[in-house]
Amino acid sequence: MPWQNSGMTPSRSTWARRTAFALGAVLLLGACGDDDEANDTLPNVSTTATAAVTTVATTTPPTTVAPTTSTTSTTSTTSTTSTTTIPETTTTEPFISELVLRETGLGEAVFGADAEEVIAYIASILGEPTADSGWADPLASFGPCPGTEVRGVTWGDLLVLFSDESTVASGRRHFFSYTYGPPFGLTIEPEGMYTEFGITVGDTVGRLLVAYPDAIITPSDGIFDANFYVSENMHGFLTGAAETDTIRSITGGIGCGE
């Protein structure tokens, strides 16, 4: 499948003027979002990150408590009364706690970790990748990326990038960046990936600013899309700069074009 570079990724000094990367056949622009006001309750996400990929985490699928029905019948000589009580149904929202979107990496996979180990680690949680570019020339396949070879592996709307040269490692194949979103369809896949402060694709700008009060929000200028900047290792794109606009994508690490 063709792999192309698209979009712009902001950086610290010239936030709205830096180019980002994307996987053309994989990352299609999509509206994702909820224009509701920001929710004050953020998911509780662990902030502990390890120095390398050493363990394989497992995911327990969400559980649904099915309704139960109890029936009490009372019969007299003149009438019969039947009462049915149906409790509320509670559904647990999918939440991939093993793959927290960190400024240092994805879950236990830190930037700079061995490429094959990171792919195996993510696959142990999300299953086999939906696409894999293989190792390729950066300019021919991705645009201006670091190193002499780059590989892009995707799980639905999650793109994970590897190279033999970046700001975190040199001379070996390693993990250096990821992008979550925008979604192909109406919902993000895999669903349930959050930052350490409980932010995900589809959250409002207002909610983003509750979690990251110092985040820089830059509106579209007609050339560059609206975007946000938390740090060099966490930034992304928005549907707009208003508090009711939503997050389209979240990028971790310093990737292509930066």
Side-chain angles (χ1 to χ4, degrees):
M1 64 185 296
W3 298 76
Q4 302 174 355
N5 181 56
S6 65
M8 313 300 291
T9 300
S11 70
R12 176 176 299 161
S13 59
T14 55
W15 170 238
R17 305 294 180 185
R18 301 290 300 276
T19 58
F21 58 87
L23 191 57
V26 179
L27 298 179
L28 301 180
L29 295 181
C32 63
D34 179 1
D35 292 339
D36 293 335
E37 294 296 330
N39 192 328
D40 290 335
T41 302
L42 302 179
N44 182 15
V45 182
S46 171
T47 58
T48 303
T50 58
V53 175
T54 57
T55 61
V56 174
T58 59
T59 301
T60 301
T63 58
T64 300
V65 180
T68 58
T69 302
S70 61
T71 304
T72 302
S73 298
T74 303
T75 304
S76 68
T77 58
T78 56
S79 64
T80 300
T81 302
S82 178
T83 303
T84 302
T85 303
I86 302 177
E88 294 183 359
T89 300
T90 302
T91 302
T92 302
E93 180 183 356
F95 178 59
I96 307 174
S97 59
E98 295 89 348
L99 290 178
V100 176
L101 305 171
R102 304 185 190 277
E103 294 181 53
T104 55
L106 274 174
E108 295 181 3
V110 297
F111 295 131
D114 177 77
E116 295 300 330
E117 289 184 6
V118 172
I119 293 171
Y121 166 67
I122 298 174
S124 73
I125 299 169
L126 300 180
E128 291 303 307
T130 53
D132 187 340
S133 72
W135 293 99
D137 181 283
L139 290 177
S141 301
F142 294 92
C145 294
T148 62
E149 56 180 355
V150 172
R151 181 180 180 183
V153 183
T154 65
W155 285 264
D157 301 314
L158 172 67
L159 165 67
V160 184
L161 285 176
F162 306 91
S163 179
D164 61 350
E165 186 77 31
S166 74
T167 59
V168 293
S170 177
R172 60 181 178 83
R173 293 171 170 177
H174 62 275
F175 170 39
F176 77 99
S177 183
Y178 67 82
T179 296
Y180 184 48
F184 274 118
L186 297 178
T187 59
I188 191 79
E189 294 291 341
E191 186 179 4
M193 297 184 68
Y194 292 84
T195 72
E196 293 173 286
F197 292 94
I199 294 301
T200 190
V201 170
D203 281 341
T204 63
V205 173
R207 183 176 172 86
L208 170 67
L209 291 173
V210 169
Y212 300 95
D214 296 329
I216 299 171
I217 307 298
T218 304
S220 171
D221 60 4
I223 299 176
F224 302 99
D225 291 338
N227 53 70
F228 71 91
Y229 177 92
V230 172
S231 71
E232 284 189 342
N233 281 338
M234 182 163 288
H235 38 80
F237 290 102
L238 307 167
T239 60
E243 287 197 357
T244 53
D245 282 310
T246 57
I247 298 171
R248 291 177 50 225
S249 65
I250 298 172
T251 293
I254 300 178
C256 301
E258 299 188 60

